[in-house]
Amino acid sequence: MKLSRILSNQNGVSRKQANALIASAAVTVDGETCREAAREVDRFSTVTCGGRVIQPGEQACYLMLHKPSGYLSATADKVHKTVMELIDPSLHNGLHIAGRLDRASTGLLILTNNGTWSRRLTEPEIRIPKVYRVSTACAITPETAERFAEGIWFQFEQLRTSPAGIELLGEREARITIYEGRYHQVKRMFHAVGNRVTALHRESMGNIRLDDSLTPGASRLLTETEINSV
Ligand code: URA
C-alpha cells in the first residue's frame, strides 16, 4: 500500500494532509525518514508519524524445511500428516508454502507469511531455477535431454514448459533444472518421454540451497542474504 494511504487510513487525516506530513519529513519507514508519498510499504514495515507509531509492522517469517517423504505440502489435512507438524507451532501463524512438493518428494521446502515475496519465488513468469535430483524407473536417454531442451507440451494447461536443463548423474539418475513449478511438473515431463520418476529431491530454488546440516524433518530460518536473493 502507498505510504500516503497508510497515513490517511488514520482517522481524520486526509490524503492531502498525509502528503504534507510526508513532505515535511515527519514520517519514518523502518526507522528512516521517507519523503516519498507514493512509496509502496507492506504490512511488515513500521511506520511512524511525529514519533507516533501508525503501523507497528508485523514480524515476517521465512523458513526452509528439509521435507521428508510422507508429509503433505499443506497447512492442514484431515487424512495425511502435513509439513506444519514439523514446524514450531509458535511460527505457524499466517505461514504458507512457497512451491509445494508432492507427498513422496523430499528436500527444500520454503514457508513464509509474506505472499509478495513468495510470489516472486514461484511465479512461472519470473523464471527462478528450481533444481531437483531425480531417480527414474528406466534409463534416461539422450532423447530425454533433447525433448526437455525443446520444452514439453502440457495438454491440460495448453502450454509448453520452458527448456529444462538435465545433468546425467547415472543411468537412471539426473539433476534437472526447471524454471516454472507446475503441478507434478518433473513427473509429467518424464512421463511424456515414456519414463517414470521413482524419487524426487529438491536441492535449491534460485539462490536458496537446502542446508546440508538439516536432517529430514529439520528446519531453520532463512538468512538475510537468502531472503534478499529473491
Ligand atoms: N515436480 C513434481 O513432479 N513433483 C514435485 O514434488 C516437484 C516437482
Side-chain angles (χ1 to χ4, degrees), residues 129-150:
K130 286 107 190 166
V131 180
Y132 294 85
R133 227 179 39 236
V134 183
S135 303
T136 57
C138 310
I140 301 169
T141 61
E143 196 220 338
T144 303
E146 285 165 25
R147 295 277 311 279
F148 283 13
E150 287 163 5

Side-chain angles (χ1 to χ4, degrees), residues 167-220:
E167 178 195 347
L168 267 191
L169 302 172
E171 199 192 24
R172 294 183 214 172
E173 225 185 298
R175 181 170 284 122
I176 306 291
T177 305
I178 60 170
Y179 295 88
E180 307 102 321
R182 305 204 180 272
Y183 181 65
H184 291 329
Q185 179 163 340
V186 177
K187 288 183 184 155
R188 289 163 74 199
M189 287 169 63
F190 275 96
H191 180 76
V193 296
N195 206 337
R196 184 169 59 81
V197 169
T198 55
L200 188 56
H201 178 86
R202 185 155 61 202
E203 295 183 330
S204 64
M205 295 177 83
N207 290 319
I208 307 178
R209 283 192 61 78
L210 179 62
D211 193 324
D212 287 339
S213 69
L214 291 179
T215 52
S219 60
R220 71 153 168 83

